[in-house]
Amino acid sequence: MKDIAYCSDKYQYTMGKSFFDSGRQDTIAVFNLFYRKAPENNNWAVVSGTDEVIEMVCSLGDKDASFFEKFLPGPEYAEFREYLAGMKFTGNVYAMREGEIAFPNQPIIIVEAPLVQAQILETPMLCIMNHQMAVATKASRVCRATNRPVSEFGSRRAHGPWAAIYGAKAAIIAGCANTSNILTGAYFGVGSTGTMAHSYVTSYGCTVDGEYTAFDNYIKTHRSEPLIMLIDTYDTLRCGVLNAIRAFRDNGIDDSYPYGYGVRLDSGDLAYLSIEVRRILDENGFRGCKIFATNSLDEYLISDLERQGACIDSYGVGDAIATSKAAPCFGNVYKLVMIGGEAVMKMSEDRIKTINPGFQITWRISKQYEKEGEIFKADVTCLRDDGLCRDIEAGREFTICDEFDRYKYKTFAAGEYSAKALQVKVIENGVRCVPVHSLQEKRDYYRENLSHLSPSERRLINPHYYKVDISDDLYNAKNGIMDRLMKEINSFKI
């Protein structure tokens, strides 16, 4: 993560100079990072990247003035360069945990800090969060298309090494069983997976006997490991699967092999081929041999393969996850919502771009059912310490209303719900204040969250929309600013 805090746009620093020259650099600002619309008609997104954000924020301030002179040259910037060289982050950051399920317009990260410190974090923070949340949300969709394991195999298609490493991490949080990327495995302690490519098979000569020799040598050199033979280099049914069977037999590999064994399909009609390969394997006594499938898969192709009755035990998915291919640009934004204790907001003719002002907190409301267990029922974003926030904290009865249709409302009686704050303080006065969770813990947290959504909210096509509202005080504050501003605009003349 070296220098990531300075992977920024120049205008963050030109604005910073104006703040500094006008004496506003220490004015406390609150910024929200959030998204407005989930990709591919999702109802929600998966949070990933907050640990890298914490690391990035805490690394701010390790450059001397000569570094800043490279992009802020000249005597007019000299005083500002010295200020930046001595500037460490001293504020607070609140964030959702990695593996959290986030809905539109909810603050995923809240930065409360002196204005210049908070402003210059925008670009690197969005760079981290937009990449990882795009990959995590796509991986969630792919993994929800099947009950079988999905491996992330997309490093060669990722947009650079950093994207490959941290994209694989995001994919594992959102449900992938493992990754082919060795650095992700090494950094995060999850291991990595992989066996052979077509070049391995063809390196033994472009013959049927060469294919057998490739399989035989691989087995001999990888005992005590999972053994997956790639069987579609020449002809899947007429030689590939038969050579795999022959090599397994010759090396004493059968259903008693404790490390797992199988074959991989990477081309052709995967539904038809998997059914035929399964038949051939079973007829030859290899009922425990797994069938692994790759070949430009995504959630739609996987769903269709399963509808056709494909005999596939595990999937490998590459660019669809690694690049979030169908929706490669995630829409997180970073907006100022409070300055010097005053709530502010961006207003727009495009209603979806009108933001929620003020220092906020989101509560997730759950109810316990005898059969279904705990089910998430609604999220509500409040101004911190407003009336609704105090009612929820005290466990009192409360009612929430739809922001755009005030006739739609829901009441939660005292004693019949539980509530969890989604944004927790992760940096206090510039220092990390939360424990580090392992990648496995993050994935478990995501799966636990997913289990509390209803099946209709988890489906890929036309999901049922979960109830997400704002408090009356936040609603009134938002509309009060808009009403006051519109009066000023309507009477404005030069």
Side-chain angles (χ1 to χ4, degrees):
M1 296 292 289
K2 186 177 184 294
D3 294 343
I4 294 296
Y6 301 99
C7 179
S8 195
D9 294 305
K10 187 171 181 177
Y11 80 160
Q12 309 294 359
Y13 288 86
T14 57
M15 288 188 287
K17 182 179 186 296
S18 293
F19 296 148
F20 177 77
D21 288 352
S22 59
R24 302 179 66 216
Q25 68 271 21
D26 294 325
T27 303
I28 298 300
V30 178
F31 283 81
N32 282 359
L33 182 146
F34 63 95
Y35 72 93
R36 297 183 175 104
K37 189 175 187 298
E40 297 188 80
N41 294 315
N42 282 308
N43 188 17
W44 43 268
V46 180
V47 176
S48 180
T50 52
D51 260 0
E52 284 70 43
V53 164
I54 294 170
E55 184 180 348
M56 178 272 293
V57 171
C58 292
S59 74
L60 194 68
D62 64 348
K63 299 296 181 184
D64 58 31
S66 62
F67 169 80
F68 298 100
E69 193 168 9
K70 296 174 182 178
F71 58 93
L72 299 173
E76 65 273 20
Y77 279 98
E79 191 176 356
F80 185 49
R81 291 195 297 266
E82 291 297 329
Y83 168 78
L84 292 172
M87 185 186 74
K88 295 286 289 182
F89 185 79
T90 60
N92 302 318
V93 175
Y94 304 78
M96 294 185 184
R97 270 187 65 175
E98 293 193 281
E100 195 68 79
I101 288 171
F103 291 89
N105 299 311
Q106 298 174 338
I108 295 166
I109 298 177
I110 300 170
V111 177
E112 178 193 23
L115 181 54
V116 173
Q117 295 177 29
Q119 181 66 68
I120 65 173
L121 292 173
E122 176 179 8
T123 301
M125 191 176 294
L126 287 172
C127 180
I128 293 168
M129 296 302 294
N130 278 331
H131 168 244
Q132 291 200 35
M133 287 186 65
V135 174
T137 303
K138 184 63 172 183
S140 170
R141 288 180 59 82
V142 173
C143 293
R144 282 183 283 130
T146 178
N147 291 322
R148 295 169 174 83
V150 175
S151 299
E152 187 279 326
F153 274 14
S155 293
R156 68 188 63 192
R157 308 291 189 210
H159 299 148
W162 195 93
I165 296 165
Y166 290 95
K169 168 230 168 181
I172 289 174
I173 288 175
C176 284
N178 45 50
T179 176
S180 63
N181 189 286
I182 58 174
L183 279 181
T184 301
Y187 287 174
F188 298 102
V190 294
S192 49
T193 186
T195 53
M196 66 179 67
H198 293 110
S199 59
Y200 173 79
V201 177
T202 58
S203 74
Y204 287 84
C206 195
T207 65
V208 172
D209 281 344
E211 183 181 52
Y212 165 77
T213 303
F215 295 163
D216 181 65
N217 282 359
Y218 191 89
I219 294 169
K220 284 180 166 59
T221 54
H222 291 275
R223 290 280 184 173
S224 303
E225 296 178 32
L227 300 170
I228 309 295
M229 306 296 110
L230 180 58
I231 61 173
D232 72 325
T233 304
Y234 305 127
D235 189 296
T236 298
L237 299 180
R238 292 192 293 176
C239 65
V241 67
L242 302 179
N243 268 328
I245 289 171
R246 179 183 166 200
F248 287 142
R249 279 179 175 160
D250 290 350
N251 287 279
I253 304 298
D254 57 24
D255 290 355
S256 66
Y257 184 69
Y259 306 102
Y261 75 116
V263 296
R264 176 159 74 97
L265 302 172
D266 189 51
S267 60
D269 185 335
L270 295 180
Y272 167 74
L273 289 173
S274 67
I275 292 169
E276 288 302 300
V277 167
R278 181 77 273 157
R279 178 184 61 78
I280 294 168
L281 290 169
D282 289 352
E283 287 175 353
N284 284 274
F286 291 89
R287 295 184 179 276
C289 184
K290 303 297 185 184
I291 299 175
F292 188 70
T294 51
N295 189 22
S296 300
L297 298 175
D298 61 16
E299 66 268 42
Y300 304 106
L301 289 171
I302 289 173
S303 294
D304 194 53
L305 285 168
E306 304 217 334
R307 181 187 59 80
Q308 295 179 64
C311 295
I312 296 170
D313 298 292
S314 185
Y315 298 94
V317 180
D319 52 357
I321 289 177
T323 67
S324 185
K325 192 172 182 179
C329 183
F330 197 85
N332 279 319
V333 294
Y334 185 81
K335 299 297 181 183
L336 182 67
V337 295
M338 180 172 279
I339 184 72
E342 178 186 355
V344 295
M345 60 182 282
K346 178 191 183 298
M347 210 170 86
S348 175
E349 293 179 7
D350 186 350
R351 183 71 179 266
I352 196 173
K353 289 194 171 184
T354 300
I355 70 171
N356 294 326
F359 196 2
Q360 299 157 35
I361 186 170
T362 304
W363 294 95
R364 179 154 292 161
I365 310 302
S366 306
K367 293 185 74 171
Q368 189 73 30
Y369 295 90
E370 185 175 344
K371 291 184 178 180
E372 299 91 342
E374 183 185 9
I375 299 294
F376 295 157
K377 300 301 293 182
D379 284 8
V380 58
T381 298
C382 309
L383 294 170
R384 287 177 181 256
D385 203 38
D386 71 10
L388 179 56
C389 189
R390 291 194 299 272
D391 284 343
I392 292 173
E393 287 178 316
R396 294 190 286 263
E397 179 176 291
F398 69 92
T399 299
I400 53 177
C401 299
D402 188 287
E403 180 181 358
F404 303 110
D405 185 349
R406 303 304 278 177
Y407 291 101
K408 292 181 179 178
Y409 61 90
K410 186 171 182 61
T411 297
F412 292 88
E416 294 185 0
Y417 67 87
S418 59
K420 177 182 75 171
L422 298 187
Q423 301 88 7
V424 299
K425 186 179 282 187
V426 297
I427 295 177
E428 184 171 17
N429 299 326
V431 178
R432 181 180 184 129
C433 59
V434 290
V436 176
H437 295 284
S438 71
L439 189 53
Q440 181 63 55
E441 288 172 328
K442 294 171 185 179
R443 179 168 58 184
D444 291 345
Y445 184 70
Y446 159 74
R447 287 175 171 170
E448 175 69 14
N449 282 318
L450 187 64
S451 72
H452 296 308
L453 290 177
S454 71
S456 63
E457 291 156 353
R458 297 197 298 263
R459 66 192 178 207
L460 299 177
I461 307 297
N462 296 324
H464 178 76
Y465 274 72
Y466 179 83
K467 190 169 184 58
V468 179
D469 291 322
I470 61 175
S471 69
D472 288 348
D473 287 344
L474 178 51
Y475 177 86
N476 291 334
K478 181 177 183 177
N479 283 281
I481 293 172
M482 287 194 292
D483 290 345
R484 187 187 73 241
L485 190 55
M486 286 309 301
K487 287 178 183 178
E488 292 183 20
I489 292 170
N490 290 334
S491 61
F492 181 71
K493 292 182 177 60
I494 58 170

